[in-house]
Amino acid sequence: MTLKRRKKIVGNWKMNGSTVFARTLVSDLLEQLSPALTEQVCLCPPMPYLPMVAEALGQSGVSLGAQNVSSYNDGAYTGEVSATMLADIGCDHVIVGHSERRTLFAETDAIVVSKVAKALEQPGLTPILCVGETREEREAGQWQAVISRQMQAVLEGIDRAGVARIIVAYEPVWAIGTGLTATAEQAQEVHALIRQQVAALDSAIADSLLILYGGSLNDQNAKELLSQPDIDGGLVGGAALVAEKFARVCNTLAEVG
Ligand code: PGA
C-alpha cells in the first residue's frame, strides 16, 4: 500500500522584507489562505523577522522556518545563529543547503550535512534539504550524478532516524528566480530518482519522504507540478513575496490532494 503524503508549501522570502512588509504579508495571507490548509504551509522570513512573524501567525497553524542554521553549537561564532536558538524562538523548519548558500557562501556537501545534523538535534526542527543541478550540469548530462552526490552525502552522514525526519527540496539552479520552471516531466523524473535513492536505504522512509519542487513555482504552474506523483509540495521564492500569489499556490493543495 502506498502512503498518502501530506503535501506542503514553503515560502522562502530570501533577503527581502521589512517589519511593515512582514506584518502586512502575514495578515493578507491568513485572510486568503483556505483555513483547512494552514498546517500544510510554512513561512521562512529573514532571521530578524522570525519572532514577529511567529507572533503574527499566532495559532493559525502555519509553520515558521528559518533560511539557514549554523553548523556549530552556541558559543564564540560571531554572526551565527544556532539550531537551539531557532527552536527556542518557535521555528519548526529550517532550509539547509539552498543553492544560493552553496554557491555564494561556499557551503560544501560536508557543511550541509553538519547543518542538517545540528537541526536534527532539536526534536521539533525539520531540515528542508535543498539539492539541484546548475544549467551547465544539466546540459552536460550530469544532473543525476550531481543530485545523487548531494543526496548521498546526507544519506551517509545522517542516521536513519534522522533521514526519516528530513524534507528534501529539488531546486534546479537554472529555474530559481529565472521564470524557467522545470517541466512537470523533468521535475517528476528527478523526484522519482531521489525517492529511489532513499528507497535503497529504507523503503518505508522513501514512501513517506516529502520531496518539494522549487524554481519559479507560481500560481500559474503550481497545479500541474503539484499533481505529479512524486512532487509533494513546493519551495516558493518570488511568488511567496506576494500574498495573493502565494495564497493561490497554497490553495492549489485543495485541488491536488
Ligand atoms: P523562486 O525561488 O521561486 O524565486 O525561483 C525558489 C527558491 O530559491 O527557493
Side-chain angles (χ1 to χ4, degrees):
M1 196 183 83
T2 41
L3 198 99
K4 180 107 177 82
R5 293 179 292 273
R6 201 161 182 231
K7 295 187 199 266
K8 191 180 282 273
I9 303 289
V10 179
N12 173 12
W13 296 7
K14 310 196 180 186
M15 197 167 74
N16 292 293
S18 64
T19 48
V20 172
F21 171 89
R23 226 171 261 130
T24 313
L25 188 121
V26 173
S27 91
D28 290 352
L29 181 66
L30 292 179
E31 265 173 34
Q32 295 168 46
L33 202 54
S34 159
L37 297 171
T38 52
E39 287 180 4
Q40 290 168 267
V41 176
C42 174
L43 292 187
C44 302
M47 295 279 187
Y49 305 123
L50 285 168
M52 63 161 290
V53 169
E55 204 185 319
L57 289 172
Q59 302 303 311
S60 64
V62 174
S63 296
L64 184 71
Q67 298 171 19
N68 186 23
V69 63
S70 179
S71 52
Y72 296 100
N73 290 327
D74 292 4
Y77 300 99
T78 302
E80 290 286 276
V81 176
S82 68
T84 324
M85 293 170 186
L86 295 181
D88 182 42
I89 62 165
C91 287
D92 38 34
H93 290 74
V94 58
I95 299 171
V96 179
H98 190 280
S99 69
E100 287 149 18
R101 303 285 329 162
R102 291 181 190 257
T103 49
L104 302 172
F105 301 95
E107 286 191 10
T108 59
D109 285 335
I111 293 173
V112 171
V113 172
S114 61
K115 290 186 171 200
V116 169
K118 283 293 170 236
L120 289 170
E121 282 173 17
Q122 305 303 311
L125 204 51
T126 300
I128 302 171
L129 166 72
C130 300
V131 297
E133 81 287 1
T134 62
R135 178 196 293 273
E136 295 73 31
E137 288 161 345
R138 176 156 282 266
E139 284 170 358
Q142 291 166 352
W143 60 270
Q144 282 173 304
V146 171
I147 291 158
S148 74
R149 187 205 76 222
Q150 292 170 337
M151 284 299 303
Q152 201 55 33
V154 171
L155 298 179
E156 280 170 9
I158 301 292
D159 65 17
R160 250 178 231 216
V163 173
R165 286 179 43 209
I166 290 172
I167 292 176
V168 173
Y170 167 55
E171 296 208 305
V173 180
W174 47 272
I176 296 176
T178 57
L180 290 175
T181 320
T183 63
E185 294 71 30
Q186 276 173 327
Q188 166 58 27
E189 185 181 22
V190 179
H191 283 230
L193 189 95
I194 292 171
R195 201 176 303 286
Q196 252 173 39
Q197 193 176 350
V198 176
L201 176 82
D202 189 308
S203 62
I205 294 177
D207 270 353
S208 57
L209 179 73
L210 287 188
I211 310 177
L212 314 181
Y213 168 79
S216 299
L217 184 69
N218 60 38
D219 51 336
Q220 304 299 310
N221 56 32
K223 191 170 172 193
E224 197 192 352
L225 282 154
L226 299 177
S227 304
Q228 300 302 310
D230 288 295
I231 301 187
D232 307 311
L235 179 52
V236 186
L241 298 173
V242 184
E244 258 176 41
K245 281 192 195 173
F246 189 62
R248 276 203 292 268
V249 173
C250 296
N251 290 339
T252 307
L253 292 180
E255 298 170 56
V256 297

